Amino acid sequence: MSALQVVELLVNGLMLGALFALFGLGLSLSLGVMRMINIAHGDLIVLAAYLVLSTTPWSGVGPLTALLVTIPVMFALGWLLQRGLLNRLVGRDPMSVLLVTFGLSIVLQNLLQEIYTADTQSLDAGSLATASLQIGDMSIGWLPVVITGVSVAVYGLTHLLIAHTPLGRQARAVATDPETARLVGIRDRRLFALMTGFIFAVIAIAGVFYGIRTPFAPSAGPERLLFAFEAVVLGGLGSIWGTFIGGLLIGMAQVVGAQVHAGLGPFVGHLVFLVALLARPNGLFAPR
């Protein structure tokens, strides 16, 4: 391979990894703040893609513009789910959350298949999907560039939210010492509902870009969950930017693997995750 091809390969890997990082951000927040593992996380990404698919025909707008509707809807769903169901499980055996969200995953998959059938679908981004940016002799698709830019922007916004707002300070306090946080007046159940709403809004953004870049079906959720979980664990539990770096590493590994053989992409990504986990069981950037 020439130097130009290597650079193009790495750039494509980073841009794919930016999408995986978007998959992992919501799961990272759920683990870091609420100590909850949402097994239905991948299915919610697919649900967001289907919501955009349903919104675009009657609204007459493209999938990115449809986010103006999808993000508030997903925020409301997240708030209601946390307030109505998951808050009842806070502080209990972690298996309770795993079992409930596993059941939610099965329900979502079957519901989506009943409504939309098992056929694969895709979101049409128009000329954005085929447009390319020419940098010297290297050609880069505009869609991956947009996904990367949005991913960085969402992570930056999340960092500002957690580090520099009253809501973020409360979230850090609850994550560090929930009992003391309650004693000083922090309403953790209300905080969890708002955080889950925000997580679902991030899921909506991840879902629309997933649906534009890759055909999707009702059963595609578990694979999205796997990529998200690998990004979170590889980066280090509790580290937002660690999740971002973890997503980039998984993306680069998949692109390099696919260059060797078309079917090796996901396998190499999983292999890199396993090797990194054996070397650093707590993740590469876990808070000390």
Side-chain angles (χ1 to χ4, degrees):
M1 295 179 66
S2 67
L4 178 63
Q5 288 175 315
V6 171
V7 171
E8 190 170 356
L9 187 70
L10 292 177
V11 169
N12 287 331
L14 288 172
M15 290 189 293
L16 176 61
L19 179 60
F20 292 162
L22 267 181
F23 290 167
L25 178 55
L27 193 61
S28 179
L29 290 172
S30 181
L31 280 165
V33 176
M34 295 174 285
R35 300 292 188 259
M36 289 185 176
I37 300 177
N38 184 359
I39 299 297
H41 184 81
D43 300 288
L44 291 166
I45 293 173
V46 177
L47 172 65
Y50 274 110
L51 286 177
V52 173
L53 181 70
S54 297
T55 302
T56 50
W58 61 261
S59 63
V61 299
L64 295 181
T65 308
L67 279 174
L68 297 174
V69 175
T70 309
I71 287 177
V73 169
M74 289 294 290
F75 182 94
L77 286 176
W79 189 89
L80 289 170
L81 178 65
Q82 188 69 40
R83 290 284 293 194
L85 179 61
L86 297 182
N87 271 348
R88 303 173 186 272
L89 307 176
V90 172
R92 295 188 181 182
D93 183 355
M95 282 298 296
S96 300
V97 178
L98 290 175
L99 292 173
V100 169
T101 55
F102 176 69
L104 178 61
S105 171
I106 294 174
V107 169
L108 283 175
Q109 288 183 41
N110 284 275
L111 184 63
L112 290 174
Q113 183 164 323
E114 186 69 25
I115 296 173
Y116 297 99
T117 76
D119 297 337
T120 57
Q121 305 282 352
S122 62
L123 299 176
D124 183 11
S127 59
L128 178 63
T130 56
S132 61
L133 173 66
Q134 199 70 29
I135 304 177
D137 294 328
M138 184 169 59
S139 180
I140 302 174
W142 265 112
L143 177 60
V145 171
V146 171
I147 292 174
T148 303
V150 171
S151 181
V152 172
V154 170
Y155 267 84
L157 176 64
T158 303
H159 173 78
L160 291 175
L161 175 69
I162 297 298
H164 300 290
T165 68
L167 180 67
R169 287 191 288 271
Q170 292 179 26
R172 296 199 308 274
V174 170
T176 303
D177 191 342
E179 292 185 1
T180 302
R182 294 189 196 103
L183 288 176
V184 298
I186 295 177
R187 298 169 59 187
D188 57 344
R189 300 303 199 268
R190 175 179 174 273
L191 172 69
F192 290 164
L194 291 173
M195 287 300 300
T196 303
F198 179 79
I199 289 168
F200 272 52
V202 173
I203 286 174
I205 298 172
V208 71
F209 285 122
Y210 162 60
I212 291 173
R213 183 169 178 132
T214 309
F216 55 93
S219 60
E223 190 175 20
R224 304 313 115 197
L225 172 66
L226 181 59
F227 294 152
F229 191 75
E230 287 181 346
V232 172
V233 176
L234 184 58
L237 298 180
S239 173
I240 292 176
W241 288 108
T243 299
F244 183 77
I245 300 299
L248 297 186
L249 293 175
I250 296 297
M252 284 194 293
Q254 288 202 15
V255 169
V256 171
Q259 182 68 23
V260 177
H261 188 277
L264 282 181
F267 170 76
V268 173
H270 302 328
L271 185 62
V272 167
F273 166 73
L274 178 60
V275 171
L277 200 58
L278 290 174
R280 295 288 298 271
N282 293 327
L284 300 178
F285 303 98
R288 299 184 183 278

